[in-house]
Amino acid sequence: MSESPDLAASELLRWLTVTADNWRRLLTANPTLLAAPCDIAGATTVAGLIQHIVAVQLRYAERLALLPITDYADIPTTSVQSLFSVHDRSLILFQQLLSAEIDWQERIEFGTRTLGTMRASRRFILFHAMTHGIRHYAQLAVLARQHGVKPDWSMDLLLLDEEHVPS
């Protein structure tokens, strides 16, 4: 019997980790990009967009772990290190959640900043939290290039396949 074609959460988490680590490296080498204007997700600067990305990740990880939700105001935008330390906190929570006994089909109710109160399965919340960042990092790639900073890695999930051999 062959493996299921379903993408595992751990595989998606690996893609998010590699993507965020590359952005951390690029922004550390080009810290002035944090101040660049940005109109994505209500942000006014790239730092504000990164704050949005890591805040969403952390807040959903906290919801899934039944922890108090961190306020956006408590997520500093002062440096690449401070922003990505929030990403690192969310990764630890996601890894703990993935190794725990959880009913991923359980539907939970939660408040959002823009859509009010919602209900969704823990599974969909987890996958939303991870793909949300990937989507915004792709938008950031366009913005970075417009400001003269070109990401030097491929952002495709396909390249994380262990069988992939570049030709």
Side-chain angles (χ1 to χ4, degrees):
M1 179 182 284
S2 65
E3 273 188 51
S4 165
D6 294 345
L7 186 64
S10 60
E11 293 167 315
L12 194 55
L13 186 60
R14 189 168 135 235
W15 187 28
L16 176 61
T17 300
V18 168
T19 300
D21 286 349
N22 278 316
W23 278 107
R24 180 191 330 237
R25 180 179 50 79
L26 185 79
L27 290 166
T28 297
N30 300 277
T32 58
L33 187 58
L34 287 177
C38 174
D39 67 351
I40 301 167
T44 58
T45 64
V46 167
L49 175 59
I50 300 296
Q51 179 196 43
H52 171 71
I53 293 168
V54 300
V56 167
Q57 280 178 210
L58 179 62
R59 290 163 59 94
Y60 280 116
E62 290 168 339
R63 284 183 182 101
L64 290 170
L66 304 176
L67 296 171
I69 306 304
T70 300
D71 191 87
Y72 265 71
D74 294 333
I75 299 175
T77 59
T78 53
S79 70
V80 173
Q81 180 181 349
S82 65
L83 286 163
F84 282 93
S85 70
V86 175
H87 165 78
D88 295 339
R89 282 180 23 217
S90 70
L91 285 185
I92 290 167
L93 286 174
F94 285 141
Q95 290 163 347
Q96 290 170 347
L97 289 161
L98 289 175
S99 64
E101 290 290 323
I102 293 176
D103 176 2
W104 290 103
Q105 299 308 318
E106 177 188 10
R107 296 180 68 76
I108 62 173
E109 188 171 288
F110 56 95
T112 68
R113 293 180 72 207
T114 57
L115 299 174
T117 302
M118 296 184 70
R119 286 183 57 80
S121 71
R122 290 177 173 278
R123 178 175 175 260
F124 267 75
I125 293 169
L126 174 68
F127 278 81
H128 171 73
M130 291 188 286
T131 58
H132 172 268
I134 293 292
R135 178 172 51 90
H136 283 313
Y137 284 129
Q139 292 173 308
L140 179 56
V142 173
L143 185 64
R145 285 191 301 273
Q146 290 171 348
H147 288 280
V149 178
K150 185 178 184 297
D152 60 356
W153 69 94
S154 174
M155 297 179 198
D156 292 336
L157 173 64
L158 182 62
L159 297 177
L160 292 182
D161 186 327
E162 293 173 10
E163 298 296 317
H164 175 77
V165 179
S167 54

mmCIF file of all heavy atoms in Angstrom, residues 76-112:
data_model
loop_
_atom_site.group_PDB
_atom_site.id
_atom_site.type_symbol
_atom_site.label_atom_id
_atom_site.label_comp_id
_atom_site.label_asym_id
_atom_site.label_seq_id
_atom_site.Cartn_x
_atom_site.Cartn_y
_atom_site.Cartn_z
ATOM 1 N N PRO A 76 7.327 43.311 19.804
ATOM 2 C CA PRO A 76 8.128 44.456 19.359
ATOM 3 C C PRO A 76 8.524 44.366 17.890
ATOM 4 O O PRO A 76 8.740 43.281 17.358
ATOM 5 C CB PRO A 76 9.364 44.394 20.258
ATOM 6 C CG PRO A 76 9.467 42.966 20.665
ATOM 7 C CD PRO A 76 8.060 42.429 20.696
ATOM 8 N N THR A 77 8.621 45.524 17.257
ATOM 9 C CA THR A 77 9.038 45.600 15.851
ATOM 10 C C THR A 77 10.401 46.278 15.728
ATOM 11 O O THR A 77 10.766 46.748 14.660
ATOM 12 C CB THR A 77 7.998 46.394 15.021
ATOM 13 O OG1 THR A 77 7.891 47.709 15.571
ATOM 14 C CG2 THR A 77 6.648 45.715 15.021
ATOM 15 N N THR A 78 11.144 46.319 16.822
ATOM 16 C CA THR A 78 12.375 47.106 16.872
ATOM 17 C C THR A 78 13.559 46.477 16.161
ATOM 18 O O THR A 78 14.496 47.191 15.798
ATOM 19 C CB THR A 78 12.759 47.374 18.336
ATOM 20 O OG1 THR A 78 12.794 46.121 19.032
ATOM 21 C CG2 THR A 78 11.749 48.300 18.996
ATOM 22 N N SER A 79 13.543 45.145 15.978
ATOM 23 C CA SER A 79 14.696 44.507 15.334
ATOM 24 C C SER A 79 14.278 43.181 14.706
ATOM 25 O O SER A 79 13.232 42.617 15.038
ATOM 26 C CB SER A 79 15.811 44.247 16.357
ATOM 27 O OG SER A 79 15.424 43.221 17.257
ATOM 28 N N VAL A 80 15.127 42.707 13.815
ATOM 29 C CA VAL A 80 14.911 41.399 13.211
ATOM 30 C C VAL A 80 14.888 40.343 14.310
ATOM 31 O O VAL A 80 14.016 39.463 14.332
ATOM 32 C CB VAL A 80 16.017 41.086 12.175
ATOM 33 C CG1 VAL A 80 15.913 39.663 11.663
ATOM 34 C CG2 VAL A 80 15.975 42.090 11.025
ATOM 35 N N GLN A 81 15.816 40.445 15.259
ATOM 36 C CA GLN A 81 15.908 39.464 16.342
ATOM 37 C C GLN A 81 14.628 39.439 17.180
ATOM 38 O O GLN A 81 14.116 38.365 17.495
ATOM 39 C CB GLN A 81 17.113 39.771 17.225
ATOM 40 C CG GLN A 81 17.269 38.788 18.377
ATOM 41 C CD GLN A 81 18.452 39.121 19.261
ATOM 42 O OE1 GLN A 81 19.293 39.956 18.943
ATOM 43 N NE2 GLN A 81 18.533 38.455 20.400
ATOM 44 N N SER A 82 14.105 40.608 17.535
ATOM 45 C CA SER A 82 12.902 40.635 18.377
ATOM 46 C C SER A 82 11.696 40.064 17.636
ATOM 47 O O SER A 82 10.889 39.344 18.220
ATOM 48 C CB SER A 82 12.608 42.053 18.879
ATOM 49 O OG SER A 82 12.278 42.921 17.819
ATOM 50 N N LEU A 83 11.589 40.343 16.354
ATOM 51 C CA LEU A 83 10.468 39.820 15.570
ATOM 52 C C LEU A 83 10.550 38.306 15.420
ATOM 53 O O LEU A 83 9.575 37.591 15.666
ATOM 54 C CB LEU A 83 10.432 40.478 14.189
ATOM 55 C CG LEU A 83 9.947 41.922 14.179
ATOM 56 C CD1 LEU A 83 10.345 42.612 12.880
ATOM 57 C CD2 LEU A 83 8.440 41.972 14.392
ATOM 58 N N PHE A 84 11.710 37.807 15.058
ATOM 59 C CA PHE A 84 11.823 36.378 14.811
ATOM 60 C C PHE A 84 11.914 35.556 16.096
ATOM 61 O O PHE A 84 11.712 34.339 16.059
ATOM 62 C CB PHE A 84 12.955 36.080 13.832
ATOM 63 C CG PHE A 84 12.546 36.375 12.415
ATOM 64 C CD1 PHE A 84 12.812 37.607 11.845
ATOM 65 C CD2 PHE A 84 11.848 35.437 11.673
ATOM 66 C CE1 PHE A 84 12.406 37.895 10.545
ATOM 67 C CE2 PHE A 84 11.430 35.709 10.373
ATOM 68 C CZ PHE A 84 11.713 36.947 9.812
ATOM 69 N N SER A 85 12.167 36.200 17.235
ATOM 70 C CA SER A 85 12.079 35.462 18.502
ATOM 71 C C SER A 85 10.626 35.041 18.750
ATOM 72 O O SER A 85 10.369 33.992 19.354
ATOM 73 C CB SER A 85 12.633 36.283 19.663
ATOM 74 O OG SER A 85 11.782 37.372 19.957
ATOM 75 N N VAL A 86 9.673 35.831 18.266
ATOM 76 C CA VAL A 86 8.252 35.475 18.380
ATOM 77 C C VAL A 86 7.965 34.275 17.479
ATOM 78 O O VAL A 86 7.255 33.341 17.868
ATOM 79 C CB VAL A 86 7.356 36.682 18.025
ATOM 80 C CG1 VAL A 86 5.887 36.288 18.025
ATOM 81 C CG2 VAL A 86 7.630 37.824 18.989
ATOM 82 N N HIS A 87 8.526 34.285 16.278
ATOM 83 C CA HIS A 87 8.400 33.128 15.381
ATOM 84 C C HIS A 87 8.939 31.872 16.071
ATOM 85 O O HIS A 87 8.302 30.814 16.043
ATOM 86 C CB HIS A 87 9.158 33.401 14.076
ATOM 87 C CG HIS A 87 9.389 32.190 13.249
ATOM 88 N ND1 HIS A 87 8.411 31.618 12.463
ATOM 89 C CD2 HIS A 87 10.495 31.418 13.101
ATOM 90 C CE1 HIS A 87 8.905 30.552 11.866
ATOM 91 N NE2 HIS A 87 10.153 30.413 12.238
ATOM 92 N N ASP A 88 10.100 31.987 16.709
ATOM 93 C CA ASP A 88 10.711 30.841 17.387
ATOM 94 C C ASP A 88 9.803 30.314 18.502
ATOM 95 O O ASP A 88 9.680 29.093 18.672
ATOM 96 C CB ASP A 88 12.077 31.217 17.957
ATOM 97 C CG ASP A 88 13.100 31.554 16.870
ATOM 98 O OD1 ASP A 88 12.917 31.132 15.712
ATOM 99 O OD2 ASP A 88 14.075 32.261 17.196
ATOM 100 N N ARG A 89 9.168 31.212 19.244
ATOM 101 C CA ARG A 89 8.233 30.788 20.298
ATOM 102 C C ARG A 89 7.076 30.007 19.701
ATOM 103 O O ARG A 89 6.648 28.988 20.248
ATOM 104 C CB ARG A 89 7.697 32.002 21.068
ATOM 105 C CG ARG A 89 8.680 32.537 22.061
ATOM 106 C CD ARG A 89 8.242 33.742 22.864
ATOM 107 N NE ARG A 89 6.838 34.011 23.029
ATOM 108 C CZ ARG A 89 6.301 35.230 23.053
ATOM 109 N NH1 ARG A 89 7.066 36.298 22.907
ATOM 110 N NH2 ARG A 89 5.020 35.386 23.221
ATOM 111 N N SER A 90 6.558 30.471 18.572
ATOM 112 C CA SER A 90 5.429 29.769 17.953
ATOM 113 C C SER A 90 5.854 28.390 17.446
ATOM 114 O O SER A 90 5.097 27.430 17.553
ATOM 115 C CB SER A 90 4.794 30.603 16.837
ATOM 116 O OG SER A 90 5.635 30.697 15.718
ATOM 117 N N LEU A 91 7.073 28.266 16.911
ATOM 118 C CA LEU A 91 7.549 26.968 16.432
ATOM 119 C C LEU A 91 7.621 25.948 17.561
ATOM 120 O O LEU A 91 7.250 24.787 17.388
ATOM 121 C CB LEU A 91 8.926 27.091 15.787
ATOM 122 C CG LEU A 91 9.007 27.700 14.408
ATOM 123 C CD1 LEU A 91 10.437 27.629 13.887
ATOM 124 C CD2 LEU A 91 8.064 27.024 13.444
ATOM 125 N N ILE A 92 8.092 26.378 18.717
ATOM 126 C CA ILE A 92 8.159 25.482 19.876
ATOM 127 C C ILE A 92 6.764 24.992 20.232
ATOM 128 O O ILE A 92 6.553 23.796 20.459
ATOM 129 C CB ILE A 92 8.838 26.189 21.069
ATOM 130 C CG1 ILE A 92 10.324 26.384 20.782
ATOM 131 C CG2 ILE A 92 8.624 25.399 22.371
ATOM 132 C CD1 ILE A 92 11.023 27.330 21.746
ATOM 133 N N LEU A 93 5.803 25.905 20.247
ATOM 134 C CA LEU A 93 4.428 25.513 20.560
ATOM 135 C C LEU A 93 3.871 24.557 19.506
ATOM 136 O O LEU A 93 3.240 23.547 19.851
ATOM 137 C CB LEU A 93 3.532 26.745 20.689
ATOM 138 C CG LEU A 93 3.708 27.573 21.952
ATOM 139 C CD1 LEU A 93 2.856 28.844 21.882
ATOM 140 C CD2 LEU A 93 3.350 26.752 23.181
ATOM 141 N N PHE A 94 4.085 24.850 18.231
ATOM 142 C CA PHE A 94 3.594 23.966 17.167
ATOM 143 C C PHE A 94 4.202 22.569 17.316
ATOM 144 O O PHE A 94 3.508 21.562 17.181
ATOM 145 C CB PHE A 94 3.909 24.519 15.777
ATOM 146 C CG PHE A 94 3.045 25.675 15.354
ATOM 147 C CD1 PHE A 94 3.596 26.734 14.657
ATOM 148 C CD2 PHE A 94 1.690 25.708 15.628
ATOM 149 C CE1 PHE A 94 2.809 27.800 14.241
ATOM 150 C CE2 PHE A 94 0.895 26.771 15.222
ATOM 151 C CZ PHE A 94 1.454 27.816 14.531
ATOM 152 N N GLN A 95 5.501 22.498 17.584
ATOM 153 C CA GLN A 95 6.155 21.196 17.737
ATOM 154 C C GLN A 95 5.581 20.434 18.934
ATOM 155 O O GLN A 95 5.346 19.224 18.848
ATOM 156 C CB GLN A 95 7.665 21.374 17.856
ATOM 157 C CG GLN A 95 8.285 21.815 16.552
ATOM 158 C CD GLN A 95 9.675 22.393 16.702
ATOM 159 O OE1 GLN A 95 10.141 22.705 17.788
ATOM 160 N NE2 GLN A 95 10.354 22.546 15.567
ATOM 161 N N GLN A 96 5.331 21.126 20.028
ATOM 162 C CA GLN A 96 4.728 20.482 21.194
ATOM 163 C C GLN A 96 3.323 19.988 20.864
ATOM 164 O O GLN A 96 2.942 18.877 21.248
ATOM 165 C CB GLN A 96 4.681 21.455 22.376
ATOM 166 C CG GLN A 96 6.035 21.769 22.958
ATOM 167 C CD GLN A 96 5.996 22.905 23.968
ATOM 168 O OE1 GLN A 96 5.017 23.639 24.084
ATOM 169 N NE2 GLN A 96 7.085 23.054 24.711
ATOM 170 N N LEU A 97 2.565 20.802 20.154
ATOM 171 C CA LEU A 97 1.203 20.415 19.787
ATOM 172 C C LEU A 97 1.193 19.194 18.876
ATOM 173 O O LEU A 97 0.365 18.298 19.035
ATOM 174 C CB LEU A 97 0.488 21.586 19.102
ATOM 175 C CG LEU A 97 0.121 22.756 20.006
ATOM 176 C CD1 LEU A 97 -0.133 24.015 19.181
ATOM 177 C CD2 LEU A 97 -1.084 22.404 20.865
ATOM 178 N N LEU A 98 2.123 19.153 17.926
ATOM 179 C CA LEU A 98 2.156 18.033 16.985
ATOM 180 C C LEU A 98 2.548 16.720 17.655
ATOM 181 O O LEU A 98 2.215 15.648 17.149
ATOM 182 C CB LEU A 98 3.091 18.340 15.813
ATOM 183 C CG LEU A 98 2.584 19.404 14.844
ATOM 184 C CD1 LEU A 98 3.637 19.733 13.795
ATOM 185 C CD2 LEU A 98 1.275 18.979 14.196
ATOM 186 N N SER A 99 3.234 16.801 18.782
ATOM 187 C CA SER A 99 3.617 15.567 19.471
ATOM 188 C C SER A 99 2.638 15.208 20.595
ATOM 189 O O SER A 99 2.806 14.173 21.238
ATOM 190 C CB SER A 99 5.041 15.683 20.018
ATOM 191 O OG SER A 99 5.111 16.700 20.991
ATOM 192 N N ALA A 100 1.622 16.026 20.808
ATOM 193 C CA ALA A 100 0.643 15.788 21.879
ATOM 194 C C ALA A 100 -0.559 15.004 21.351
ATOM 195 O O ALA A 100 -0.806 14.956 20.142
ATOM 196 C CB ALA A 100 0.180 17.126 22.456
ATOM 197 N N GLU A 101 -1.285 14.426 22.269
ATOM 198 C CA GLU A 101 -2.541 13.734 21.938
ATOM 199 C C GLU A 101 -3.636 14.802 21.856
ATOM 200 O O GLU A 101 -4.095 15.294 22.884
ATOM 201 C CB GLU A 101 -2.883 12.706 23.016
ATOM 202 C CG GLU A 101 -1.959 11.504 23.027
ATOM 203 C CD GLU A 101 -2.172 10.612 21.809
ATOM 204 O OE1 GLU A 101 -3.335 10.461 21.375
ATOM 205 O OE2 GLU A 101 -1.170 10.081 21.303
ATOM 206 N N ILE A 102 -4.012 15.169 20.649
ATOM 207 C CA ILE A 102 -5.005 16.226 20.437
ATOM 208 C C ILE A 102 -6.056 15.722 19.465
ATOM 209 O O ILE A 102 -5.726 15.063 18.474
ATOM 210 C CB ILE A 102 -4.343 17.508 19.877
ATOM 211 C CG1 ILE A 102 -3.424 18.124 20.933
ATOM 212 C CG2 ILE A 102 -5.368 18.516 19.405
ATOM 213 C CD1 ILE A 102 -2.658 19.331 20.465
ATOM 214 N N ASP A 103 -7.290 16.070 19.722
ATOM 215 C CA ASP A 103 -8.367 15.791 18.765
ATOM 216 C C ASP A 103 -8.355 16.932 17.758
ATOM 217 O O ASP A 103 -8.926 17.999 17.997
ATOM 218 C CB ASP A 103 -9.719 15.699 19.478
ATOM 219 C CG ASP A 103 -10.881 15.506 18.518
ATOM 220 O OD1 ASP A 103 -10.649 15.394 17.287
ATOM 221 O OD2 ASP A 103 -12.027 15.493 18.998
ATOM 222 N N TRP A 104 -7.703 16.710 16.625
ATOM 223 C CA TRP A 104 -7.541 17.762 15.631
ATOM 224 C C TRP A 104 -8.842 18.100 14.916
ATOM 225 O O TRP A 104 -8.942 19.134 14.267
ATOM 226 C CB TRP A 104 -6.449 17.384 14.622
ATOM 227 C CG TRP A 104 -5.095 17.418 15.272
ATOM 228 C CD1 TRP A 104 -4.359 16.348 15.694
ATOM 229 C CD2 TRP A 104 -4.345 18.584 15.620
ATOM 230 N NE1 TRP A 104 -3.187 16.778 16.274
ATOM 231 C CE2 TRP A 104 -3.154 18.147 16.243
ATOM 232 C CE3 TRP A 104 -4.555 19.945 15.468
ATOM 233 C CZ2 TRP A 104 -2.183 19.021 16.708
ATOM 234 C CZ3 TRP A 104 -3.579 20.828 15.925
ATOM 235 C CH2 TRP A 104 -2.416 20.367 16.543
ATOM 236 N N GLN A 105 -9.857 17.266 15.050
ATOM 237 C CA GLN A 105 -11.157 17.549 14.436
ATOM 238 C C GLN A 105 -12.042 18.401 15.349
ATOM 239 O O GLN A 105 -13.065 18.929 14.896
ATOM 240 C CB GLN A 105 -11.872 16.245 14.075
ATOM 241 C CG GLN A 105 -11.118 15.389 13.063
ATOM 242 C CD GLN A 105 -10.703 16.145 11.814
ATOM 243 O OE1 GLN A 105 -11.465 16.931 11.259
ATOM 244 N NE2 GLN A 105 -9.472 15.941 11.366
ATOM 245 N N GLU A 106 -11.658 18.522 16.616
ATOM 246 C CA GLU A 106 -12.455 19.319 17.555
ATOM 247 C C GLU A 106 -12.562 20.753 17.052
ATOM 248 O O GLU A 106 -11.577 21.367 16.646
ATOM 249 C CB GLU A 106 -11.803 19.322 18.940
ATOM 250 C CG GLU A 106 -12.547 20.187 19.939
ATOM 251 C CD GLU A 106 -11.809 20.347 21.256
ATOM 252 O OE1 GLU A 106 -10.626 19.954 21.356
ATOM 253 O OE2 GLU A 106 -12.414 20.904 22.172
ATOM 254 N N ARG A 107 -13.776 21.286 17.077
ATOM 255 C CA ARG A 107 -14.010 22.670 16.656
ATOM 256 C C ARG A 107 -13.942 23.555 17.887
ATOM 257 O O ARG A 107 -14.528 23.244 18.920
ATOM 258 C CB ARG A 107 -15.350 22.798 15.953
ATOM 259 C CG ARG A 107 -15.377 21.986 14.637
ATOM 260 C CD ARG A 107 -16.698 22.087 13.920
ATOM 261 N NE ARG A 107 -16.947 23.413 13.383
ATOM 262 C CZ ARG A 107 -16.384 23.922 12.283
ATOM 263 N NH1 ARG A 107 -15.531 23.212 11.592
ATOM 264 N NH2 ARG A 107 -16.694 25.128 11.862
ATOM 265 N N ILE A 108 -13.209 24.640 17.758
ATOM 266 C CA ILE A 108 -13.111 25.584 18.871
ATOM 267 C C ILE A 108 -13.535 26.973 18.401
ATOM 268 O O ILE A 108 -13.454 27.296 17.213
ATOM 269 C CB ILE A 108 -11.700 25.610 19.496
ATOM 270 C CG1 ILE A 108 -10.637 26.064 18.483
ATOM 271 C CG2 ILE A 108 -11.343 24.242 20.082
ATOM 272 C CD1 ILE A 108 -9.263 26.263 19.094
ATOM 273 N N GLU A 109 -13.977 27.754 19.331
ATOM 274 C CA GLU A 109 -14.400 29.127 19.054
ATOM 275 C C GLU A 109 -13.281 30.063 19.478
ATOM 276 O O GLU A 109 -12.641 29.852 20.513
ATOM 277 C CB GLU A 109 -15.673 29.434 19.831
ATOM 278 C CG GLU A 109 -16.285 30.761 19.457
ATOM 279 C CD GLU A 109 -17.653 30.933 20.079
ATOM 280 O OE1 GLU A 109 -18.598 30.262 19.619
ATOM 281 O OE2 GLU A 109 -17.754 31.733 21.035
ATOM 282 N N PHE A 110 -13.062 31.092 18.677
ATOM 283 C CA PHE A 110 -11.989 32.042 18.977
ATOM 284 C C PHE A 110 -12.326 33.392 18.359
ATOM 285 O O PHE A 110 -13.061 33.479 17.380
ATOM 286 C CB PHE A 110 -10.639 31.523 18.451
ATOM 287 C CG PHE A 110 -10.653 31.206 16.982
ATOM 288 C CD1 PHE A 110 -10.223 32.130 16.043
ATOM 289 C CD2 PHE A 110 -11.109 29.965 16.544
ATOM 290 C CE1 PHE A 110 -10.254 31.827 14.688
ATOM 291 C CE2 PHE A 110 -11.135 29.653 15.188
ATOM 292 C CZ PHE A 110 -10.708 30.588 14.259
ATOM 293 N N GLY A 111 -11.760 34.425 18.925
ATOM 294 C CA GLY A 111 -11.936 35.768 18.397
ATOM 295 C C GLY A 111 -10.809 36.130 17.454
ATOM 296 O O GLY A 111 -9.671 35.717 17.640
ATOM 297 N N THR A 112 -11.145 36.888 16.420
ATOM 298 C CA THR A 112 -10.128 37.395 15.496
ATOM 299 C C THR A 112 -10.158 38.915 15.531
ATOM 300 O O THR A 112 -11.145 39.515 15.961
ATOM 301 C CB THR A 112 -10.375 36.919 14.047
ATOM 302 O OG1 THR A 112 -11.552 37.547 13.547
ATOM 303 C CG2 THR A 112 -10.505 35.400 13.983
#
